[in-house]
């Protein structure tokens, strides 16, 4: 792949019309979260920018993000992989394997040094020199550091790459962590979610591919256009929350009527994602719509914030903090009352002593 | 011990608390009660399944608005407190842990409260009480920081959102801010119970005009408190 073609050239080669190219650009513009006045810039970039080289590596994870990615409907994942980016290396989607495959990775890194986009899925296993996650005879830490060195941009796909993920849950036996510490201080675009929404995954990589810049990020490194709002604030069940109409049980009338799932532990009020507006599978549904409270899968540390079906953690028979707090309050009140009585007895005995001294 | 209706005792008046501190104190009392009550309701909204929810007056929206309003009033009151701190020496209640005698005095007061010592040296503000107020302000600061971090998270990219957004990152996640906010609220209530008792106790057991001073700002004492020179 000496001469790298642009998106427009790829369309031409395939015999697509200018009209379908422009249509594709309109879809891209809205996908990346831009307003329509950015359309001409998107067209310009799609005409001139060569397709970006992408290296996609997988660490400590379940590859569920790829499962999500291949279900992207607009654009189709196959379109992204085959005609919108030049995917040179991918652990999961590659037919090749073995030494030639690893050699190809080294070639790609050397050839496109400073130009390629590095997509990372999965956490870094940090404990015991990283031996808990290895591929090609090397630890994932080694691969990540090697690939990050020459990357133009780094995208962390999924909550694992962003924050450590499920395997970082207590007691975290493999020392799993997000990739940020292992990329040599380069900015990381975090696309958290377990998995992220497919259109968000394709949207972010297309933004970097077309404009050569990172999308606008929030303080945590997440693209603002997809993670700028809480699910709570975009949820179609929000009016039920405001009105105080809650499902109390999974099988009660409120749940049936589609009331707010807040009391069933919904994490929508703490979760930043596009589930409320983009939804999943081309807008078909999302967890809350299907009657399941959000578990906050795009949040750091969500895996340790159980139970997912309650607003407060429970401590066995002691109950939650409200129960414990009320008990402590009663105990404190009883304690100060007892202390008060003891203080009076102490003072009286002291005064009696003084009185006796006076009489003598 | 005979009760005398009229006592001929020479008493000295110590002006301690500026109106700013006193107003803030009572504002805080009301607001903490409101915030605690509404806070519990926000975590566990009332079950309205039995009634027609649309017609209940305790909608989540209203309860949350009351909570936020009370929080803003409390924060505004804090500004008054800071002003009082600046203009009036009696308002400066931070424990003087940089002075050597602070430690021995604290131990003495603690021993008395543990009923191991029959009395302790009189103070306008005893060092243990001062320490507990410092703790309260730490708890309040945690509530304010986590509270605003959650409140402003509706628009994390806004100026104020970035001003407090780091709190959520620091504690690990926004849900953690919710937990901390809720747990610390209980500690504040436990403090309030203890504080109420200790103040009433000081008034009746130790002859301090502890209760009235939070209304009048003055302590009228027969004895000479050990830390009287701090007002000079």
């Amino acid at each position: 792949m000496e001469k790298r073609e642009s998106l427009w050239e790829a369309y031409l080669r395939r015999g697509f019309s200018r009209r379908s190219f422009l249509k594709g650009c309109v879809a891209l513009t809205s996908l990346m979260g831009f307003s329509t006045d950015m359309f001409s810039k998107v067209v310009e970039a799609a005409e001139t920018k060569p397709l970006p080289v992408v290296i996609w590596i997988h660490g400590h994870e379940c590859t569920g993000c790829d499962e999500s990615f291949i279900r992207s409907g607009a654009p189709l994942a196959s379109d992204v992989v085959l005609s919108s980016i030049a995917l040179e290396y991918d652990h999961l989607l590659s037919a090749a394997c073995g030494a030639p495959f690893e050699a190809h990775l080294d070639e790609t890194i050397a050839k496109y040094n400073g130009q390629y986009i590095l997509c990372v899925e999965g956490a870094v296993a940090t404990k015991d020199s990283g031996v808990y996650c290895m591929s090609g005879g090397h630890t994932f830490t080694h691969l990540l550091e090697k690939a990050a060195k020459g990357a133009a941009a780094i995208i962390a796909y999924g909550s694992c790459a962003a924050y450590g993920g499920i395997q970082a849950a207590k007691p975290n036996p493999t020392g799993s962590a997000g990739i940020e510490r292992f990329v040599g201080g380069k900015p990381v675009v975090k696309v958290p979610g377990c998995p992220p929404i497919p259109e968000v995954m394709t949207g972010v990589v297309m933004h970097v591919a077309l404009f050569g810049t990172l999308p606008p990020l929030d303080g945590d490194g997440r693209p603002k256009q997809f993670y700028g709002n809480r699910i709570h604030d975009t949820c179609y069940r929000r009016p039920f929350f405001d009105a105080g109409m809650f499902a109390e049980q999974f099988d009660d009338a409120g749940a049936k009527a589609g009331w707010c799932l807040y009391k069933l532990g919904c994490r929508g009020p703490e979760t930043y994602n596009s589930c409320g507006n983009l939804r999943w599978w081309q807008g078909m549904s999302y967890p809350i719509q299907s009657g399941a409270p959000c578990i906050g899968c795009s949040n750091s540390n969500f895996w340790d914030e159980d139970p997912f079906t309650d607003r407060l953690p429970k401590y066995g028979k002691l109950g939650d903090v409200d129960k414990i707090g009320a008990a402590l309050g009663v105990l404190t009140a009883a304690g100060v009352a007892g202390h008060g009585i003891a203080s009076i007895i102490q003072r009286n005995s002291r005064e009696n002593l003084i009185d006796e001294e006076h009489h003598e | 011990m005979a009760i005398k209706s009229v006592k001929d005792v020479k008493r000295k008046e110590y002006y301690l608390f500026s109106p700013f501190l006193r107003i803030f104190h009572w504002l805080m009392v009301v607001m903490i009660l409101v915030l605690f009550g509404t806070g519990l309701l926000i975590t566990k909204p009332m079950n309205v399944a039995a009634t027609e929810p649309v017609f209940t007056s305790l909608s989540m929206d209203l309860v949350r608005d009351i909570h936020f309003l009370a929080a803003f009033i409390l924060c505004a009151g804090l500004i008054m407190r800071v002003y009082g701190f600046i203009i009036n020496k009696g308002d400066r209640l931070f424990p003087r842990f940089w002075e050597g005698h602070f430690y021995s005095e604290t131990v003495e007061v603690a021993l008395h409260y543990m009923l191991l010592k029959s009395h302790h040296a009189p103070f306008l503000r005893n060092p243990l009480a001062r320490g507990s107020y410092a703790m309260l302000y730490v708890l309040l600061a945690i509530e304010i920081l986590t509270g605003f971090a959650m409140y402003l998270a509706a628009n994390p990219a806004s100026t104020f959102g970035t001003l407090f957004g780091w709190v959520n990152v620091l504690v690990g996640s926004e849900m953690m801010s919710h937990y901390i906010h809720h747990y610390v609220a209980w500690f504040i209530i436990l403090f309030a119970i203890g504080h109420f008792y200790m103040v009433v106790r000081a008034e009746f057991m130790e002859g301090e005009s502890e209760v009235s001073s939070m209304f009048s700002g003055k302590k009228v004492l027969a004895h000479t408190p050990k830390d009287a020179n701090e007002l000079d």
Side-chain angles (χ1 to χ4, degrees):
Chain A
M1 197 172 168
E2 267 318 308
K3 159 94 175 67
R4 289 158 60 203
E5 56 187 0
S6 69
L7 191 63
W8 172 230
E9 284 158 352
Y11 267 70
L12 278 181
R13 181 165 52 79
R14 284 149 173 262
F16 289 148
S17 67
R18 175 75 181 172
R19 187 182 174 82
S20 67
F21 168 72
L22 291 178
K23 270 179 162 177
C25 288
V26 171
L28 271 177
T29 311
S30 54
L31 251 176
M32 290 186 289
F34 289 135
S35 73
T36 40
D37 35 315
M38 283 292 282
F39 176 61
S40 55
K41 282 198 177 146
V42 173
V43 174
E44 204 183 312
E47 280 171 344
T48 53
K49 281 263 158 96
L51 294 184
V53 175
V54 173
I55 295 175
W56 197 306
I57 58 175
H58 295 251
H60 214 191
E61 58 141 353
C62 70
T63 67
C65 300
D66 274 337
E67 287 289 337
S68 171
F69 181 76
I70 60 175
R71 282 164 179 77
S72 176
L76 281 167
S78 54
D79 280 348
V80 174
V81 172
L82 298 175
S83 48
S84 302
I85 59 173
L87 188 62
E88 289 291 314
Y89 182 92
D90 188 320
H91 280 131
L92 198 75
L93 299 181
S94 299
C97 63
F101 186 47
E102 296 303 316
H104 181 64
L105 172 66
D106 290 335
E107 274 169 30
T108 311
I109 289 176
K111 194 168 163 190
Y112 300 110
N113 190 27
Q115 297 169 52
Y116 59 86
I117 301 171
L118 177 67
C119 296
V120 187
E121 259 180 71
V124 185
T126 59
K127 230 179 217 169
D128 300 329
S129 327
V131 294
Y132 299 118
C133 185
M134 300 187 60
S135 72
H138 289 291
T139 62
F140 180 63
T141 325
H142 173 83
L143 171 62
L144 178 60
E145 278 169 348
K146 183 172 74 175
K149 208 175 275 172
I154 301 170
I155 304 174
Y157 277 127
S159 296
C160 299
Y163 309 118
I166 306 289
Q167 54 277 347
K170 280 172 199 155
N172 195 0
T174 56
S176 284
I179 64 165
E180 213 161 11
R181 278 191 290 142
F182 297 89
V183 297
K186 285 198 177 165
V188 173
V189 183
K190 290 182 188 162
V191 187
C194 194
I197 298 171
E199 283 77 18
V200 171
M201 295 182 74
T202 45
V204 172
V205 73
M206 284 314 294
H207 184 111
V208 180
L210 281 179
F211 295 105
T213 57
L214 302 184
L217 304 176
D218 67 8
D220 193 27
R222 299 171 295 190
K224 275 183 190 166
Q225 68 258 48
F226 298 118
Y227 295 91
N229 286 313
R230 296 188 286 203
I231 292 176
H232 191 53
D233 296 330
T234 51
C235 183
Y236 78 103
R237 293 196 186 193
R238 176 63 186 266
F240 294 112
F241 173 87
D242 287 337
M245 297 157 81
F246 301 99
E248 307 272 340
Q249 311 261 295
F250 282 101
D251 57 354
D252 70 1
K256 221 172 194 179
W259 290 359
C260 179
L261 299 168
Y262 178 79
K263 287 181 91 169
L264 291 170
C266 184
R267 300 290 194 259
E270 293 80 36
T271 306
Y272 297 83
N273 213 329
S274 297
C275 298
N277 34 26
L278 273 183
R279 308 198 183 183
W280 286 74
W281 319 136
Q282 293 99 69
M284 183 172 73
S285 183
Y286 70 113
I288 294 166
Q289 192 175 348
S290 70
C294 169
I295 63 168
C297 77
S298 57
N299 290 342
S300 58
N301 210 38
F302 81 91
W303 46 85
D304 279 334
E305 286 159 358
D306 57 317
F308 292 140
T309 52
D310 231 315
R311 292 295 303 174
L312 292 170
K314 286 201 169 68
Y315 302 96
K317 278 182 185 164
L318 290 173
D320 62 14
V321 66
D322 284 353
K323 245 183 172 175
I324 296 171
L328 281 178
V330 171
L331 273 179
T332 311
V336 296
H339 191 269
I341 293 165
S343 301
I344 291 169
I345 293 170
Q346 188 192 34
R347 189 182 66 168
N348 286 351
S349 65
R350 187 179 80 211
E351 275 168 2
N352 287 343
L353 216 68
I354 294 167
D355 282 350
E356 277 167 28
E357 278 167 10
H358 278 293
H359 287 304
E360 278 164 15
Chain B
M1 184 175 85
I3 295 167
K4 291 178 200 159
S5 306
V6 181
K7 284 183 187 169
D8 186 18
V9 189
K10 198 171 174 239
R11 286 175 186 269
K12 247 184 163 175
E13 187 182 290
Y14 300 89
Y15 179 75
L16 266 179
F17 305 129
S18 71
F20 305 104
L21 182 140
R22 282 176 274 149
I23 294 170
F24 166 72
H25 177 271
W26 294 112
L27 208 61
M28 179 161 68
V29 171
V30 177
M31 290 313 146
I32 281 180
L33 289 176
V34 171
L35 284 165
F36 187 69
T38 51
L40 289 184
L41 275 177
I42 290 169
T43 314
K44 290 180 184 161
M46 297 250 268
N47 188 348
V48 290
T51 57
E52 188 58 56
V54 178
F55 302 121
T56 56
S57 51
L58 268 176
S59 78
M60 192 69 162
D61 199 27
L62 179 69
V63 174
R64 275 161 44 95
D65 281 348
I66 294 170
H67 191 81
F68 300 147
L69 186 67
F72 275 114
I73 293 173
L74 180 59
C75 290
L78 253 179
I79 297 170
M80 271 200 296
R81 172 74 178 90
V82 171
Y83 181 67
F85 179 90
I86 293 167
I87 59 155
N88 181 27
K89 270 188 177 168
D91 285 4
R92 297 171 198 172
L93 298 174
F94 195 73
R96 300 194 164 193
F97 59 80
W98 55 88
E99 289 173 6
H101 57 87
F102 166 79
Y103 298 95
S104 56
E105 287 167 1
T106 308
V107 170
E108 193 201 358
V109 174
L111 283 175
H112 172 65
Y113 287 164
M114 284 188 272
L115 304 170
L116 296 173
K117 215 165 174 285
S118 61
H119 61 274
H120 67 79
F123 297 97
L124 284 172
R125 269 281 164 255
N126 90 50
L128 208 61
R130 287 170 157 220
S132 78
Y133 305 150
M135 270 308 300
L136 174 70
Y137 283 112
V138 170
L139 295 178
L140 274 185
I142 295 172
E143 290 298 74
I144 291 169
L145 287 175
T146 52
F148 275 114
M150 293 184 290
Y151 177 73
L152 297 162
N155 187 8
S158 63
T159 316
F160 284 106
T162 50
L163 209 59
F164 288 92
W166 57 269
V167 179
N168 292 327
V169 180
L170 184 77
V171 299
S173 70
E174 201 173 315
M175 197 64 199
M176 199 51 79
S177 291
H178 280 264
Y179 291 157
I180 292 171
H181 197 76
H182 196 98
Y183 282 50
V184 169
W186 274 107
F187 281 113
I188 290 177
I189 293 303
L190 293 184
F191 164 85
I193 298 172
H195 174 68
F196 177 76
Y197 165 69
M198 293 315 292
V199 167
V200 173
R201 186 187 184 279
E203 173 89 21
F204 292 100
M205 305 285 301
E206 296 175 15
E208 308 277 359
S209 37
E210 201 76 23
V211 176
S212 56
S213 68
M214 200 37 74
F215 293 96
S216 67
K218 293 170 211 150
K219 287 195 173 185
V220 187
L221 302 174
H223 56 257
T224 309
K226 209 174 165 188
D227 54 350
N229 60 332
E230 281 177 19
L231 294 178
D232 302 335

